[in-house]
Structure formats: structure tokens, C-alpha cells
Amino acid sequence: MSTAAKGFLALELDGDGAHPAAWRKARHTPAELLDGTRVRATVLAAESAGFHVATFADGSLPAASSEPGGRDIPGRLNALQRAAFAGPVTGSIVLVPEVDTVYTEPFHVSTQLASLDYVSGGRAGWLVAASDRASDAAAVGRSHVSGEALGREAADSIEAGRRLWDSWEDDAVIRDVATGRYIDVDKLHYVDFESTGYSDGAGYSVKGPSIIPRPLQGQLPVLAPAGLLGPDQLSAGTADALLVSAPTPELLAGEVADARAAAPAAAVIAELDVVLDARGQGAAGRLAELDAHTPWENSRARFIGTAAELTELLASVLETADGVRLHPAVLDVDLEELAQLVLPALRRRGMLVPQQPGSTFRDLLGLQRPASRYAAAPFSAADN
């Protein structure tokens, strides 16, 4: 058994898979995208396979196909809604929705994420996104944000969310039947946050406090793509984990090292697209068949090959990274191979942290539960 440090595996569960033509190999009906059937099936399959974290991408749907027999897109629930639906039906897998930080209201985002932490029993996280699409700006009547301003707005939204999570002290809810008081108002606090990152001069302020008690984890772990936040924001601990990628799998180790140098206290999670040999068809052939319909283009490292080869690659990456997030080309196909061949092999080699029902996302990342920044320091005799 390997003596390497143990890590965790995350799985992206958006739609039918990471490949834009993945829907052609899907096994569900379009209606199941809306009624929760698809979310339930995929997240339970991921949990049963032994994945530690499930992430849910968000954003605009791709355009419907105009070719004969093309895709009929019914719409979908947003990432937070899908994660919230998955909370009560799962028991150990962490649920991390992607939520935009540029064209959303920080107050609403923070309360929705706190609610997710409650319905999941402390298994929630926040994957921050910063949309650079002009269409998203137009949808909410805002000026288009791009460049370095995206990172500043993301940092503002994260800071507002963290302050709102702290705005209720842990013991603010007292449920005093005798006096008829549900909360101790002295343990609710204004956050008085003023944004700094808005590029159009509009800005915003958040008075607080939140409208929901402090999350079970105190603060949800925040994940951010490497490169979104600036050096000052990283050194201040704005993100608890960074997601890194590279042009090829062989270059991931270098990107992991760079992320550790930029944010020593943050966990580092490597990103990897996956296309496996499956159902008697080679991975390269599967990819070529999908690409013939719609080319798969993104900046993530991509693995194409057998389950045994992927096991070796993941074991290597997990020697330096804290975790790896996999993006299967076709979820219904590649998840079967991952569950049957890859994760069992990694567990036999001692590469994966055991799943722990009842533990939190902070536990998985090795993070202590923080005290509220607004709580009074405990009195001690030394204070006299």
C-alpha cells in the first residue's frame, strides 16, 4: 500500500457530461432534468462510487441544435437549487454549487448557501464564479465587467458573504419559552460592508445582519479558480481552496506547486477532463465520435485512455495536490468506469481519504470551525 498522503476526488455533475455532445449518449429524458430525477440519480451514483465532493456548474444553457433530431433544451434548475435538492437525499458527499459573484446579490447568495449548509448537514461549499459574459450583465441591467475587475468583485462578494455568515453568533438562537424570545438580539450584528470592486462606479453596501442563523460550519469553504483572485486577496485567505489546470496532465504538478506558493494555507484541487475506454470502445474513438458533432474545447488538462492508466495518473497527481476534480466526457458512461475500476484501485493503494458520514466539508479540507468575528472574546482571569 502506498504511503503517499491521502487526497479526495470531486466529480462535476452538470448536465450529461463535460463534452458538449454528451447529451447524445445520455440515458434520461429531457423532462428528468427538471423534476429532480436526474440530479438524484447522478449524485447518488457519485456518492455510492466513493466520490467525496460533487460540484454543480451553473450558467447559460447552450443554444438548441438546429440539425434534424437535434437537442430540445427544456431549461434547468440553477446550481444552488440542484445542490439543495441533493442535500436531503445524500449522506456523505459534499455538495458544492457554482455561484456567480458579479451579477448576483451577495446578501441573497449568502443566505441561500447557509440554507444549503443546513439541508446538507454541514456538507456544503461555494465554488465562486465571475461571469465575463455581456449577456449576463444585460440581463440585470449592469455595465459589463471584465479583466481585473472580475477578481475584485469576486473578492467583495466573498467578503460580504463571510461577514453575513458571522453576523449571527453561534448561540444567538435561545428559544426561551418563558419569555417568548427566539433570539438574543444582542448576538446579531450589523456587517456594514461597502464594496470596492465595482468597475462602473455603482457599488453596493450590505447592512445586515443575515436573515438566517449562522451556518453549521460557521463559514462554508470557498473554492475559487486559480488566477481569479489577486496576490493580496490570496494572502488574506479569501479562498479556502484553489482549482488549477494545465494544457496537459503532465504539467499539472507545476501548476499545483505555483498555487501552493501563491496561497500556502489553501487546499489545491487539480482539474482534469476524462474520456475512458468504455463498453468495448476505445477512449480515442469515443472522443472522435463526439467531436464529429461538436468539438470539445476548453483549457483543462485532458486524459484519454484506460482506467488503469487514469489510476496511475491520479495517484501521481494526488502526491502533490489535495484533491482532483474530474469532468467526465459523458457522465452516464464514464462514471460507470470510474466507479467500477478507478476509485476501487485508488482505495486499495491507500490514496483516498475514507468517506466519513456525519463529517463536514471543513473536516475534509482540514479546516477548523471559525468563531464569529463579531463575538465578544471570552472573559478570563488574565483580563483583570
Side-chain angles (χ1 to χ4, degrees):
M1 179 176 289
S2 170
T3 58
K6 296 180 180 179
F8 62 87
L9 289 181
L11 185 70
E12 172 53 47
L13 290 183
D14 185 47
D16 301 312
H19 197 288
W23 61 274
R24 295 177 174 279
K25 302 296 182 180
R27 300 175 183 172
H28 62 84
T29 65
E32 289 175 340
L33 292 173
L34 294 176
D35 67 8
T37 302
R38 177 67 172 172
V39 173
R40 179 192 296 269
T42 55
V43 75
L44 288 177
E47 184 172 63
S48 178
F51 280 95
H52 304 83
V53 179
T55 64
F56 301 84
D58 208 19
S60 304
L61 282 168
S65 174
S66 60
E67 64 184 276
R71 187 182 193 185
D72 179 21
I73 300 174
R76 66 174 177 182
L77 302 173
N78 70 31
L80 253 172
Q81 291 169 328
R82 282 176 278 147
F85 178 86
V89 303
T90 54
S92 62
I93 196 166
V94 171
L95 306 170
V96 184
E98 178 185 84
V99 185
D100 182 53
T101 54
V102 180
Y103 304 116
T104 55
E105 292 287 348
F107 188 92
H108 296 159
V109 169
S110 72
T111 55
Q112 290 168 347
L113 287 166
S115 297
L116 174 62
D117 206 41
Y118 277 104
V119 300
S120 65
R123 292 179 287 119
W126 178 11
L127 174 52
V128 301
S131 173
D132 61 356
R133 292 185 294 267
S135 59
D136 289 344
V140 295
R142 271 208 58 202
S143 300
H144 181 219
V145 180
S146 60
E148 293 182 359
L150 292 171
R152 293 195 298 270
E153 295 214 22
D156 279 352
S157 185
I158 295 167
E159 178 63 17
R162 290 190 188 277
R163 292 191 187 194
L164 285 164
W165 292 333
D166 282 351
S167 65
W168 289 53
E169 295 184 36
D170 288 321
D171 54 353
V173 178
I174 55 176
R175 300 185 179 91
D176 190 336
V177 176
T179 63
R181 292 191 305 154
Y182 179 74
I183 59 175
D184 182 346
V185 295
D186 292 330
K187 296 189 176 183
L188 270 61
H189 303 276
Y190 295 122
V191 302
D192 291 324
F193 177 77
E194 297 281 345
S195 70
T196 59
Y198 268 56
S199 59
D200 58 9
Y204 64 84
S205 62
V206 179
K207 186 69 175 176
S210 179
I211 57 173
I212 187 171
R214 195 164 191 244
L216 295 177
Q217 296 181 90
Q219 293 186 13
L220 280 66
V222 175
L223 286 62
L228 174 61
L229 302 172
D232 291 344
Q233 296 153 349
L234 291 176
S235 62
T238 301
D240 299 300
L242 297 178
L243 293 97
V244 302
S245 189
T248 67
E250 293 76 18
L251 298 176
L252 278 172
E255 296 297 327
V256 170
D258 289 346
R260 289 217 187 278
V268 180
I269 303 170
E271 299 267 54
L272 186 66
D273 287 342
V274 172
V275 191
L276 291 169
D277 290 0
R279 302 179 185 176
Q281 187 177 10
R286 289 184 55 221
L287 180 59
E289 182 181 347
L290 292 166
D291 278 348
H293 296 288
T294 310
W296 190 12
E297 299 174 350
N298 61 49
S299 60
R300 289 190 296 267
R302 183 172 301 166
F303 171 84
I304 307 167
T306 68
E309 292 168 338
L310 177 61
T311 300
E312 292 300 324
L313 173 62
L314 292 175
S316 175
V317 175
L318 287 171
E319 289 179 355
T320 56
D322 298 287
V324 180
R325 181 167 70 143
L326 302 180
H327 299 257
V330 180
L331 194 56
D332 288 337
V333 178
D334 293 292
L335 179 52
E336 285 185 354
E337 303 300 315
L338 292 167
Q340 295 174 13
L341 299 175
V342 178
L343 272 76
L346 289 171
R347 283 194 291 269
R348 287 193 296 269
R349 295 172 62 163
M351 298 301 301
L352 299 180
V353 176
Q355 287 180 308
Q356 298 288 345
S359 65
T360 69
F361 192 14
R362 298 189 73 88
D363 293 333
L364 180 64
L365 294 177
L367 299 173
Q368 296 295 318
R369 188 180 187 279
S372 166
R373 72 189 67 194
Y374 302 109
F379 177 82
S380 68
D383 295 325
N384 286 333

